[in-house]
Amino acid sequence: MLKRIIALWQSSIFSLQTTERMVELDWLRVLAFGLLIFYHTGMLYAQNWGYHFKSSHMNTDIESWMLLLSPWRMGVIWFISGAALSSILQKKPMTHVLLNRSIKILLPLLVGVWMVVPIQLYAQMQQEVGLSMNYAEFYSAFLDLSHPLFTQYQAGIWPHVDVNHLWYLRSLWQFTIWILVVLPILRSNWLQKFIQYCLKQPFIFVCLGLLLPLWVLKLTWPSETYRYPMGFVFLLYGFLLVHHTTFFTQLCRYWQWLLGLFAFTYIIIVYGYQAIWLSSSSLHWQLVSMNMIYTVQSLLGVLAILALATRFLKRPSKLLTNLNTIVFPFYIFHQSVIIALAYSLSTLKLGPWLEAFIILLGTFLVCAILCSIVAHVKILRPLFGMKTNYPCSKRVTLIGTIISILAITPMAIKLLIF
């Protein structure tokens, strides 16, 4: 009986149509994380959107342009994450996936919150309350969880030790645990047959079926934390749909329609943002209507980007292979580099265009240098989510695994309980 129960999690009983690696999703992964640099740089200048640090050149015009990315940028990343998790579970047993993913996700998160993210808090506190200390003095205080300097900055995994942009890693690990818990249901033949049946229906009904859970969440979930369940829904979509070629065939067939509808709803959202969201006299039904349209835009954006990738990005290349190896550390570094550069340039009065150009170019260059250092220093690679590309004895591998488990266990317990 026990063996049967264990087999539910270990056996691969998906009714799959393909198990081939989808190169287009690899391209999308690189492009989606690359777009985060432009988006988070834009956040420095968005007057009505909160951020850890702000430029003195804020305005509202950039917000309309950022609405091109805002609805769907994380949805695509979550879809790809779900697809990757599904593919991994096809090749490896659940216990291996649980251990491997926990180390690969939580170890870089642990390093990130203690070594990469603090520069963001330093810049934020300098701008908000002013600090009469340099960064070395600040970091020394940061290591003290009970330091009175951070009385008003207590949010985080530990007091004032927050994830900031690394919230994706925190949620990715939590969502992975949830997926593994319900894996027997997700692997059941009846669910896969139901999905296959639904995908054979007219594509408009498929889209409405994908939209309905997002609408329900948007109507019922607090807007401050909506991104978390939304992320799980898109991750679940990627997990369940990645191996169904019918879905991607339909996307490819209707890519022009999806792109056109995305452009149409974008125009509506920009108008609604200016006329309704920024207005203090908007009625409740107007705000709800715009929230529903924004949710439609988030799904349309994900589907349109997936369709374009399926249509035009199916060619593998050595460049893609190289870029995929540095996406993880690039993501870890990018926002702290953006804010560090913005803070350093804030007193130079460069003007918005030159300042933004230097920040963008500087972020790509600095992150590339940091990723190159990580790639060439063996001990740093696993600390920033890169695969070890050198041979190790079984003993060394075992010792490294034990040390990693001991290091991430306190954080894992925190994330499971709170």
Side-chain angles (χ1 to χ4, degrees):
M1 181 65 179
L2 181 59
K3 289 183 177 180
R4 286 187 178 182
I5 294 175
I6 295 175
L8 289 174
W9 276 269
Q10 291 184 337
S11 62
S12 180
I13 55 176
F14 281 111
S15 302
L16 301 181
Q17 301 178 33
T18 179
T19 57
E20 295 180 2
R21 186 176 182 91
M22 300 182 67
V23 178
E24 58 267 39
L25 294 187
D26 289 334
W27 277 113
L28 267 190
R29 181 172 179 261
V30 171
L31 293 173
F33 279 107
L35 286 174
L36 286 181
I37 292 180
F38 291 92
Y39 186 83
H40 287 146
T41 299
M43 289 294 290
L44 295 169
Y45 304 95
Q47 185 168 322
N48 296 293
W49 300 2
Y51 199 47
H52 307 288
F53 187 81
K54 286 292 184 180
S55 168
S56 60
H57 305 291
M58 290 186 294
N59 63 79
T60 59
D61 294 336
I62 193 173
E63 294 164 8
S64 296
W65 290 105
M66 291 176 66
L67 285 170
L68 268 173
L69 297 177
S70 180
W72 58 268
R73 61 187 177 87
M74 287 306 302
V76 166
I77 291 175
W78 283 120
F79 186 98
I80 296 169
S81 301
L85 179 58
S86 180
S87 298
I88 292 171
L89 282 167
Q90 289 301 300
K91 304 170 185 176
K92 303 291 184 179
M94 189 197 74
T95 51
H96 178 276
V97 173
L98 176 60
L99 177 62
N100 184 267
R101 296 278 285 185
S102 294
I103 293 174
K104 186 173 181 180
I105 295 172
L106 293 186
L107 192 58
L109 177 59
L110 182 66
V111 173
V113 298
W114 284 104
M115 299 183 65
V116 179
V117 169
I119 185 63
Q120 301 179 38
L121 181 60
Y122 178 71
Q124 180 180 353
M125 293 181 67
Q126 284 283 20
Q127 188 169 67
E128 293 178 351
V129 299
L131 295 173
S132 58
M133 58 177 64
N134 57 36
Y135 185 71
E137 295 169 332
F138 168 85
Y139 190 73
S140 178
F142 179 85
L143 296 176
D144 180 2
L145 295 181
S146 60
H147 200 287
L149 179 66
F150 305 100
T151 302
Q152 303 301 318
Y153 296 85
Q154 290 296 294
I157 300 176
W158 296 281
H160 71 252
V161 184
D162 204 358
V163 292
N164 287 13
H165 70 291
L166 299 182
W167 69 269
Y168 162 73
L169 295 183
R170 176 190 61 192
S171 296
L172 178 59
W173 183 76
Q174 292 171 327
F175 294 166
T176 299
I177 300 299
W178 297 355
I179 290 289
L180 294 178
V181 169
V182 299
L183 195 57
I185 297 175
L186 300 179
R187 280 179 160 172
S188 62
N189 286 321
W190 66 264
L191 179 58
Q192 294 300 315
K193 289 179 180 179
F194 176 73
I195 293 173
Q196 289 176 344
Y197 170 79
C198 291
L199 292 176
K200 292 177 182 178
Q201 308 309 307
F203 190 61
I204 182 64
F205 295 129
V206 174
C207 294
L208 290 174
L210 296 174
L211 179 61
L212 184 58
L214 296 170
W215 262 348
V216 172
L217 282 174
K218 194 65 174 177
L219 287 171
T220 59
W221 204 276
S223 59
E224 297 80 8
T225 56
Y226 168 75
R227 65 180 178 178
Y228 301 113
M230 181 275 293
F232 182 71
V233 169
F234 276 113
L235 180 135
L236 199 58
Y237 287 164
F239 188 92
L240 293 173
L241 296 173
V242 64
H243 299 294
H244 290 274
T245 55
T246 303
F247 174 70
F248 291 93
T249 300
Q250 292 283 67
L251 286 178
C252 195
R253 180 181 178 184
Y254 293 106
W255 72 271
Q256 292 171 311
W257 280 97
L258 290 168
L259 196 60
L261 287 171
F262 175 83
F264 177 70
T265 52
Y266 167 70
I267 295 172
I268 296 176
I269 284 177
V270 170
Y271 171 78
Y273 179 74
Q274 300 292 337
I276 297 176
W277 274 328
L278 293 183
S279 174
S280 59
S281 60
S282 299
L283 301 176
H284 177 71
W285 71 267
Q286 294 175 315
L287 294 172
V288 171
S289 298
M290 286 308 305
N291 284 336
M292 294 300 97
I293 296 173
Y294 186 89
T295 307
V296 172
Q297 178 76 337
S298 68
L299 180 63
L300 281 174
V302 172
L303 295 180
I305 294 300
L306 287 171
L308 289 171
T310 304
R311 178 69 176 80
F312 298 107
L313 295 178
K314 295 185 75 70
R315 181 177 298 179
S317 75
K318 186 176 181 180
L319 174 63
L320 174 62
T321 302
N322 293 334
L323 290 176
N324 252 320
T325 61
I326 64 170
V327 163
F328 208 142
F330 219 95
Y331 160 72
I332 292 172
F333 289 125
H334 83 279
Q335 183 163 290
S336 289
V337 174
I338 288 172
I339 290 177
L341 288 173
Y343 173 73
S344 301
L345 298 173
S346 60
T347 60
L348 300 183
K349 310 299 181 184
L350 298 175
W353 291 103
L354 180 58
E355 180 184 273
F357 175 77
I358 294 175
I359 291 173
L360 280 171
L361 181 61
T363 298
F364 278 103
L365 290 176
V366 172
C367 286
I369 292 171
L370 292 173
C371 289
S372 178
I373 294 172
V374 169
H376 287 88
V377 180
K378 295 179 179 180
I379 196 173
L380 293 180
R381 291 180 68 92
L383 299 182
F384 291 91
M386 297 186 74
K387 293 181 179 179
T388 54
N389 61 346
Y390 47 88
C392 294
S393 66
K394 291 184 178 180
R395 182 182 178 184
V396 171
T397 301
L398 179 60
I399 293 174
T401 301
I402 293 173
I403 293 175
S404 298
I405 292 173
L406 292 175
I408 66 175
T409 295
M411 173 178 284
I413 294 173
K414 274 276 190 180
L415 296 183
L416 285 175
I417 296 177
F418 299 101

